[in-house]
Amino acid sequence: MLTIKRVPTVLSNYQEESSGCGRNCLGDCCLPVSKLPLYAFSQRSPVVASPAQGDLSSDFFLNDLLFGQWEDRMSRGLFRYDVTACETKVIPGEHGFVAQLNEGRHLKKRPTEFRVDRVLQPFDSSKFNFTKVGQEEVLFRFEAGEDDTACFFENASVDKGVRLNVVAINVSPIEYSHVLLIPRVLECLPQRIDPESLLLALHMAVEAGSPYFRLGYNSLGAFATINHLHFQAYYLAMPFPVEKAQTKKIHIIGGLAKNGDVKISSLVNYPVRGLVYEGGNSLKDLADVVAQSCICLQENNIPFNVLISDCGRRIFIFPQCYAEKQALGEVSQELLETQVNPAVWEISGHMVLKRRKDYDEASEEYAWRLLAEVSLSEERFEEVKSFIFGATGTVEAEKDEMETKMNEEEAFPLTSTVSTFPESCLVLQ
């Protein structure tokens, strides 16, 4: 068994409390008799356009609801530190890695053992999970509506049998508006992606309607800290380096991707090898292909991270091996001393640094070196890619078939899709 000593990130103010209630929590004891704000999204939201909002303004979900509720919790003093005071800069260099100094996440707590050799582990109710979160940390419920337009209810009763999804604050935020999307919270699901939960996360990206609001997922073994199904999300008004990276289209035959017209590419000239999914005839088509790819990684015990980008239009999957290398003593002491655990945000190019020294001396060479340790080798990546294609019934075209397709389409150049971002992106200092 591979284990590493690590300090858990505190996601809730109730994380250190023992089990039991006597307060408003998200468990079966309190939630079924509670009323919470409810945002009901349209299930017909397309992948390529903004969702229908009905009587709600086009920016209601992000600006009025999510930002407004998050700032309300900040005014109540529910966060462990003021993340808006953290310094942020773009590291000079070709890729534009973003560095943030967040000394508040450097917590002196009793280290615990964290198992890294099992991506799938059973839910353990004796450990902290999101049913123990206080309802004051919940911003709103996020559930599919019955109509073609989005609706908002300020106080909605929790009906029996409803598959309750909630959006809650992360009390140790990485960035402004850092929240957790917790699907079917009462079902106590382990950290394991399925098609329904991934589709829910894509709907949230569509409702937000901003390329600067992304969702991320970390599997166990890839720096998830809580074994209770959740996605993270926050707003940062600049492109991530991975979103600007070049990609090379993979020519595929058949399978889920072909049936749904989902395009798959691989990253080029980026320190972490990964796959990029986009397109599809519907949001569900895209979610199904990506979910099946994640399920393949889970079942083959391969740790991975997921970035949902571009208002749900593009999804990045990064198989990774940093925790395994760390447990085996294969990571340099210099990198270990920074205490940076490269999860989805770091891999995407947003480096959250915990020490002033590391922030002041941050360079593109350091960011590249750290992320290169995360990446699978080229040989291992090709092997993992074949697992994924096999699981989705997809076959990568042979060389002669690829040449035919390239001639038909006048070849596929390397591309970089960042058209959704304004030309001038401000760095928040």
Side-chain angles (χ1 to χ4, degrees), residues 53-68:
Q53 296 290 343
D55 294 333
L56 303 178
S57 62
S58 61
D59 63 349
F60 172 83
F61 177 82
L62 186 63
N63 289 339
D64 296 349
L65 181 57
L66 196 147
F67 288 173

Side-chain angles (χ1 to χ4, degrees), residues 213-231:
F213 186 81
R214 296 91 165 179
L215 286 92
Y217 175 89
N218 302 316
S219 79
L220 298 184
F223 299 106
T225 57
I226 305 295
N227 187 22
H228 189 175
L229 181 58
H230 66 286
F231 296 81

Side-chain angles (χ1 to χ4, degrees), residues 342-357:
V344 61
W345 306 120
E346 287 79 12
I347 291 172
S348 300
H350 187 200
M351 317 299 293
V352 181
L353 304 175
K354 303 172 184 177
R355 302 188 307 182
R356 165 63 68 177
K357 173 180 181 292

Side-chain angles (χ1 to χ4, degrees), residues 248-263:
K248 183 177 181 180
K249 184 175 179 180
I250 299 172
H251 296 274
I252 55 178
I253 302 170
L256 289 173
K258 191 64 176 177
N259 294 342
D261 198 27
V262 174
K263 300 175 179 62

Side-chain angles (χ1 to χ4, degrees), residues 47-121:
V47 74
V48 293
S50 297
Q53 296 290 343
D55 294 333
L56 303 178
S57 62
S58 61
D59 63 349
F60 172 83
F61 177 82
L62 186 63
N63 289 339
D64 296 349
L65 181 57
L66 196 147
F67 288 173
Q69 292 288 317
W70 192 89
E71 289 182 0
D72 172 76
R73 301 312 188 275
M74 183 167 65
S75 70
R76 294 194 211 174
L78 296 185
F79 296 102
R80 298 175 69 87
Y81 50 82
D82 181 6
V83 73
T84 63
C86 293
E87 296 178 48
T88 297
K89 66 181 179 182
V90 175
I91 300 173
E94 176 186 354
H95 296 274
F97 291 105
V98 182
Q100 181 201 88
L101 176 62
N102 193 326
E103 295 171 298
R105 290 178 71 86
H106 184 56
L107 303 174
K108 295 181 179 179
K109 298 181 60 61
R110 181 177 59 84
T112 59
E113 286 197 344
F114 181 78
R115 188 166 179 171
V116 300
D117 64 339
R118 287 289 180 269
V119 171
L120 297 180
Q121 299 177 34

Side-chain angles (χ1 to χ4, degrees), residues 86-392:
C86 293
E87 296 178 48
T88 297
K89 66 181 179 182
V90 175
I91 300 173
E94 176 186 354
H95 296 274
F97 291 105
V98 182
Q100 181 201 88
L101 176 62
N102 193 326
E103 295 171 298
R105 290 178 71 86
H106 184 56
L107 303 174
K108 295 181 179 179
K109 298 181 60 61
R110 181 177 59 84
T112 59
E113 286 197 344
F114 181 78
R115 188 166 179 171
V116 300
D117 64 339
R118 287 289 180 269
V119 171
L120 297 180
Q121 299 177 34
F123 182 86
D124 186 347
S125 60
S126 68
K127 295 183 179 179
F128 173 79
N129 61 77
F130 296 116
T131 67
K132 300 177 182 180
V133 166
Q135 289 186 24
E136 70 273 19
E137 296 179 7
V138 176
L139 303 186
F140 52 89
R141 293 161 53 188
F142 183 72
E143 295 160 23
E146 297 179 355
D147 300 321
D148 293 342
T149 56
C151 302
F152 177 68
F153 306 92
E154 192 165 349
N155 286 291
S157 298
V158 178
D159 298 326
K160 188 174 182 180
V162 171
R163 309 189 84 176
L164 206 67
N165 314 308
V166 299
V167 175
I169 60 172
N170 184 333
V171 301
S172 298
I174 286 176
E175 191 47 78
Y176 177 81
S177 77
H178 192 173
V179 294
L180 306 170
L181 171 64
I182 310 166
R184 292 128 64 194
V185 61
L186 290 177
E187 295 181 30
C188 295
L189 304 170
Q191 186 73 338
R192 176 176 189 162
I193 279 186
D194 58 56
E196 182 180 347
S197 63
L198 185 65
L199 180 58
L200 181 74
L202 292 191
H203 273 295
M204 186 172 180
V206 172
E207 294 299 319
S210 170
Y212 298 126
F213 186 81
R214 296 91 165 179
L215 286 92
Y217 175 89
N218 302 316
S219 79
L220 298 184
F223 299 106
T225 57
I226 305 295
N227 187 22
H228 189 175
L229 181 58
H230 66 286
F231 296 81
Q232 300 185 51
Y234 62 74
Y235 181 92
L236 181 64
M238 63 183 72
F240 282 170
V242 75
E243 294 170 327
K244 300 183 292 181
Q246 293 180 325
T247 60
K248 183 177 181 180
K249 184 175 179 180
I250 299 172
H251 296 274
I252 55 178
I253 302 170
L256 289 173
K258 191 64 176 177
N259 294 342
D261 198 27
V262 174
K263 300 175 179 62
I264 305 177
S265 306
S266 57
L267 288 169
V268 176
N269 192 30
Y270 197 74
V272 183
R273 293 179 175 87
L275 296 174
V276 187
Y277 298 71
E278 56 191 321
N281 298 322
S282 69
L283 205 64
K284 186 176 184 302
D285 287 336
L286 183 59
D288 283 346
V289 177
V290 175
Q292 289 302 321
S293 300
C294 294
I295 290 169
C296 170
L297 295 173
Q298 290 167 169
E299 293 180 346
N300 282 279
N301 202 35
I302 301 168
F304 65 96
N305 309 88
V306 178
L307 175 71
I308 299 173
S309 174
D310 201 8
C311 305
R313 295 181 182 90
R314 285 200 298 165
I315 305 176
F316 299 77
I317 296 181
F318 309 98
Q320 73 142 294
C321 59
Y322 188 87
E324 180 181 1
K325 287 183 177 179
Q326 188 177 0
L328 294 172
E330 297 176 357
V331 179
S332 72
Q333 189 61 32
E334 180 186 359
L335 291 179
L336 291 177
E337 287 177 356
T338 66
Q339 298 187 40
V340 174
N341 295 323
V344 61
W345 306 120
E346 287 79 12
I347 291 172
S348 300
H350 187 200
M351 317 299 293
V352 181
L353 304 175
K354 303 172 184 177
R355 302 188 307 182
R356 165 63 68 177
K357 173 180 181 292
D358 299 324
Y359 179 80
D360 290 341
E361 299 175 0
S363 66
E364 184 167 90
E365 186 273 336
Y366 158 75
W368 190 281
R369 188 155 50 92
L370 172 66
L371 295 185
E373 291 285 354
V374 174
S375 182
L376 301 184
S377 67
E378 184 174 358
E379 181 181 8
R380 176 60 174 160
F381 181 72
E382 290 299 320
E383 182 181 13
V384 168
K385 192 170 69 171
S386 69
F387 291 160
I388 290 173
F389 288 167
T392 56

